Amino acid sequence: VKKMLTEKARDPEYRHHGIIEKCLEKRFEVPASLIVELLENEIKAVGGWAIISGFPNDTEQLAEFERKVFISVRLHNIKG
């Protein structure tokens, strides 16, 4: 996760690169919603499965991931 965040912080094309860059510089926790958004995009890019090193760091990140995954899976089931 740290490698992914570092890459996104350096990517001016990514809309939240400034937020991530400042969090990393000041050693603040990157907002869970941003981490989950990035992970969700990465998981979709690799076909739906991934092993994630360094995630979750805390229960807030886990809760955000579960909430988004649950919503995503539920919407997929409704459409499918």
Side-chain angles (χ1 to χ4, degrees):
V1 171
K2 183 161 178 87
K3 180 181 174 185
M4 177 183 61
L5 291 173
T6 302
E7 289 172 2
K8 290 299 182 181
R10 294 178 182 155
D11 179 4
E13 299 289 316
Y14 180 61
R15 62 187 172 158
H16 299 301
H17 80 276
I19 294 169
I20 294 172
E21 183 178 42
K22 287 194 186 334
C23 287
L24 294 177
E25 283 175 5
K26 297 182 185 263
R27 298 181 189 244
F28 292 155
E29 189 75 27
V30 175
S33 59
L34 288 181
I35 293 172
V36 170
E37 176 184 307
L38 291 170
L39 289 173
E40 185 177 25
N41 292 338
E42 290 294 317
I43 291 169
K44 287 177 183 175
V46 298
W49 290 98
I51 296 174
I52 304 165
S53 176
F55 181 84
N57 263 353
D58 54 38
T59 55
E60 179 186 358
Q61 288 180 357
L62 178 61
E64 180 70 15
F65 185 76
E66 288 177 336
R67 184 185 65 78
K68 284 202 84 171
V69 169
F70 178 75
I71 290 170
S72 179
V73 168
R74 192 163 183 209
L75 287 174
H76 178 74
N77 288 339
I78 290 171
K79 291 177 185 177

